[in-house]
Tab-separated table of all heavy atoms in Angstrom:
chain	number	residue	atom	x	y	z
A	1	GLY	N	43.332	38.895	39.169
A	1	GLY	CA	43.975	37.825	39.917
A	1	GLY	C	45.474	38.063	40.034
A	1	GLY	O	46.094	38.688	39.174
A	2	GLN	N	46.078	37.543	41.083
A	2	GLN	CA	47.499	37.767	41.346
A	2	GLN	C	48.353	36.822	40.497
A	2	GLN	O	48.733	35.738	40.926
A	2	GLN	CB	47.785	37.583	42.839
A	2	GLN	CG	47.124	38.641	43.711
A	2	GLN	CD	47.365	38.424	45.186
A	2	GLN	OE1	47.450	37.291	45.648
A	2	GLN	NE2	47.478	39.499	45.939
A	3	TRP	N	48.670	37.282	39.285
A	3	TRP	CA	49.436	36.459	38.358
A	3	TRP	C	50.859	36.224	38.825
A	3	TRP	O	51.549	35.354	38.290
A	3	TRP	CB	49.437	37.113	36.974
A	3	TRP	CG	48.131	36.987	36.256
A	3	TRP	CD1	46.980	36.443	36.733
A	3	TRP	CD2	47.841	37.415	34.918
A	3	TRP	NE1	45.984	36.505	35.787
A	3	TRP	CE2	46.488	37.100	34.664
A	3	TRP	CE3	48.586	38.039	33.925
A	3	TRP	CZ2	45.877	37.377	33.449
A	3	TRP	CZ3	47.973	38.317	32.710
A	3	TRP	CH2	46.639	37.994	32.473
A	4	ALA	N	51.327	36.978	39.804
A	4	ALA	CA	52.669	36.752	40.332
A	4	ALA	C	52.753	35.408	41.044
A	4	ALA	O	53.842	34.846	41.194
A	4	ALA	CB	53.052	37.879	41.295
A	5	GLN	N	51.615	34.861	41.489
A	5	GLN	CA	51.566	33.574	42.162
A	5	GLN	C	51.336	32.491	41.097
A	5	GLN	O	50.356	32.545	40.350
A	5	GLN	CB	50.434	33.583	43.194
A	5	GLN	CG	50.617	32.628	44.345
A	5	GLN	CD	50.180	31.225	44.001
A	5	GLN	OE1	49.367	31.010	43.107
A	5	GLN	NE2	50.724	30.249	44.701
A	6	PRO	N	52.230	31.497	40.946
A	6	PRO	CA	52.147	30.540	39.841
A	6	PRO	C	50.824	29.795	39.731
A	6	PRO	O	50.335	29.577	38.623
A	6	PRO	CB	53.308	29.569	40.136
A	6	PRO	CG	54.293	30.376	40.906
A	6	PRO	CD	53.460	31.298	41.754
A	7	THR	N	50.239	29.391	40.853
A	7	THR	CA	48.973	28.653	40.787
A	7	THR	C	47.850	29.545	40.281
A	7	THR	O	47.038	29.130	39.437
A	7	THR	CB	48.611	28.075	42.162
A	7	THR	OG1	49.676	27.238	42.624
A	7	THR	CG2	47.337	27.253	42.081
A	8	THR	N	47.775	30.764	40.777
A	8	THR	CA	46.769	31.709	40.296
A	8	THR	C	46.971	31.995	38.814
A	8	THR	O	45.997	32.053	38.040
A	8	THR	CB	46.840	33.021	41.094
A	8	THR	OG1	46.689	32.739	42.483
A	8	THR	CG2	45.746	33.988	40.661
A	9	LEU	N	48.214	32.170	38.403
A	9	LEU	CA	48.521	32.391	36.984
A	9	LEU	C	48.062	31.198	36.154
A	9	LEU	O	47.467	31.365	35.073
A	9	LEU	CB	50.021	32.606	36.818
A	9	LEU	CG	50.547	32.723	35.391
A	9	LEU	CD1	49.957	33.943	34.695
A	9	LEU	CD2	52.070	32.785	35.388
A	10	GLY	N	48.326	29.980	36.645
A	10	GLY	CA	47.922	28.790	35.913
A	10	GLY	C	46.421	28.680	35.761
A	10	GLY	O	45.910	28.367	34.673
A	11	PHE	N	45.676	28.947	36.829
A	11	PHE	CA	44.213	28.884	36.749
A	11	PHE	C	43.676	29.977	35.832
A	11	PHE	O	42.717	29.755	35.097
A	11	PHE	CB	43.601	28.998	38.143
A	11	PHE	CG	43.390	27.683	38.823
A	11	PHE	CD1	44.284	27.220	39.780
A	11	PHE	CD2	42.311	26.884	38.497
A	11	PHE	CE1	44.105	26.006	40.404
A	11	PHE	CE2	42.111	25.659	39.113
A	11	PHE	CZ	43.014	25.215	40.077
A	12	SER	N	44.265	31.162	35.890
A	12	SER	CA	43.822	32.245	35.023
A	12	SER	C	44.026	31.876	33.553
A	12	SER	O	43.133	32.075	32.723
A	12	SER	CB	44.586	33.527	35.359
A	12	SER	OG	44.188	34.581	34.517
A	13	THR	N	45.202	31.334	33.245
A	13	THR	CA	45.494	30.909	31.881
A	13	THR	C	44.525	29.826	31.426
A	13	THR	O	43.972	29.894	30.323
A	13	THR	CB	46.932	30.382	31.788
A	13	THR	OG1	47.847	31.422	32.134
A	13	THR	CG2	47.254	29.882	30.389
A	14	PHE	N	44.308	28.838	32.278
A	14	PHE	CA	43.453	27.717	31.899
A	14	PHE	C	41.996	28.135	31.791
A	14	PHE	O	41.297	27.743	30.842
A	14	PHE	CB	43.608	26.586	32.913
A	14	PHE	CG	43.071	25.271	32.435
A	14	PHE	CD1	43.703	24.589	31.412
A	14	PHE	CD2	41.932	24.722	32.991
A	14	PHE	CE1	43.210	23.377	30.947
A	14	PHE	CE2	41.431	23.521	32.543
A	14	PHE	CZ	42.073	22.832	31.517
A	15	MET	N	41.504	28.930	32.739
A	15	MET	CA	40.123	29.396	32.680
A	15	MET	C	39.886	30.242	31.434
A	15	MET	O	38.866	30.099	30.741
A	15	MET	CB	39.775	30.200	33.934
A	15	MET	CG	39.610	29.369	35.193
A	15	MET	SD	39.133	30.423	36.606
A	15	MET	CE	39.181	29.243	37.947
A	16	GLY	N	40.821	31.151	31.141
A	16	GLY	CA	40.676	31.961	29.940
A	16	GLY	C	40.641	31.117	28.698
A	16	GLY	O	39.841	31.356	27.777
A	17	GLY	N	41.506	30.084	28.643
A	17	GLY	CA	41.499	29.187	27.497
A	17	GLY	C	40.197	28.418	27.367
A	17	GLY	O	39.680	28.226	26.254
A	18	LEU	N	39.641	27.968	28.485
A	18	LEU	CA	38.362	27.246	28.444
A	18	LEU	C	37.230	28.141	27.946
A	18	LEU	O	36.357	27.695	27.194
A	18	LEU	CB	38.026	26.694	29.824
A	18	LEU	CG	38.902	25.566	30.378
A	18	LEU	CD1	38.352	25.084	31.714
A	18	LEU	CD2	38.995	24.405	29.402
A	19	ILE	N	37.239	29.390	28.377
A	19	ILE	CA	36.201	30.319	27.924
A	19	ILE	C	36.292	30.509	26.409
A	19	ILE	O	35.280	30.456	25.688
A	19	ILE	CB	36.319	31.676	28.644
A	19	ILE	CG1	36.021	31.513	30.128
A	19	ILE	CG2	35.363	32.708	28.035
A	19	ILE	CD1	36.358	32.734	30.969
A	20	LEU	N	37.517	30.727	25.903
A	20	LEU	CA	37.695	30.898	24.463
A	20	LEU	C	37.303	29.633	23.712
A	20	LEU	O	36.660	29.699	22.654
A	20	LEU	CB	39.148	31.257	24.157
A	20	LEU	CG	39.663	32.598	24.676
A	20	LEU	CD1	41.114	32.795	24.273
A	20	LEU	CD2	38.813	33.746	24.168
A	21	ALA	N	37.693	28.468	24.241
A	21	ALA	CA	37.365	27.208	23.583
A	21	ALA	C	35.863	26.965	23.562
A	21	ALA	O	35.318	26.442	22.583
A	21	ALA	CB	38.074	26.050	24.293
A	22	SER	N	35.172	27.337	24.631
A	22	SER	CA	33.722	27.121	24.694
A	22	SER	C	32.963	27.983	23.698
A	22	SER	O	31.805	27.692	23.373
A	22	SER	CB	33.213	27.402	26.111
A	22	SER	OG	33.335	28.775	26.439
A	23	LEU	N	33.620	29.029	23.208
A	23	LEU	CA	32.986	29.879	22.200
A	23	LEU	C	33.069	29.286	20.807
A	23	LEU	O	32.434	29.780	19.875
A	23	LEU	CB	33.648	31.268	22.197
A	23	LEU	CG	33.395	32.116	23.445
A	23	LEU	CD1	34.342	33.310	23.477
A	23	LEU	CD2	31.947	32.590	23.486
A	24	GLN	N	33.864	28.224	20.648
A	24	GLN	CA	33.977	27.569	19.349
A	24	GLN	C	32.795	26.654	19.121
A	24	GLN	O	32.126	26.211	20.050
A	24	GLN	CB	35.272	26.763	19.280
A	24	GLN	CG	36.531	27.609	19.262
A	24	GLN	CD	37.579	26.991	18.376
A	24	GLN	OE1	37.312	26.687	17.222
A	24	GLN	NE2	38.773	26.817	18.909
A	25	GLU	N	32.589	26.321	17.839
A	25	GLU	CA	31.564	25.343	17.513
A	25	GLU	C	32.016	23.993	18.042
A	25	GLU	O	33.161	23.591	17.852
A	25	GLU	CB	31.352	25.276	15.998
A	25	GLU	CG	30.791	26.554	15.399
A	25	GLU	CD	29.430	26.902	15.980
A	25	GLU	OE1	28.635	25.977	16.223
A	25	GLU	OE2	29.178	28.090	16.203
C-alpha cells in the first residue's frame, strides 16, 4: 500500500493492529 498517502498509511496501521489484536485471547 502507498504509505506516502496519509489515509492509506492510517488504514494500513489500523488494519495491521486489528489483525494482531485478533490473534490475542
Side-chain angles (χ1 to χ4, degrees):
Q2 294 178 326
W3 286 4
Q5 206 277 336
T7 303
T8 304
L9 174 63
F11 269 100
S12 179
T13 299
F14 196 69
M15 287 182 186
L18 292 184
I19 294 169
L20 295 180
S22 67
L23 292 167
Q24 292 216 53
E25 295 299 322

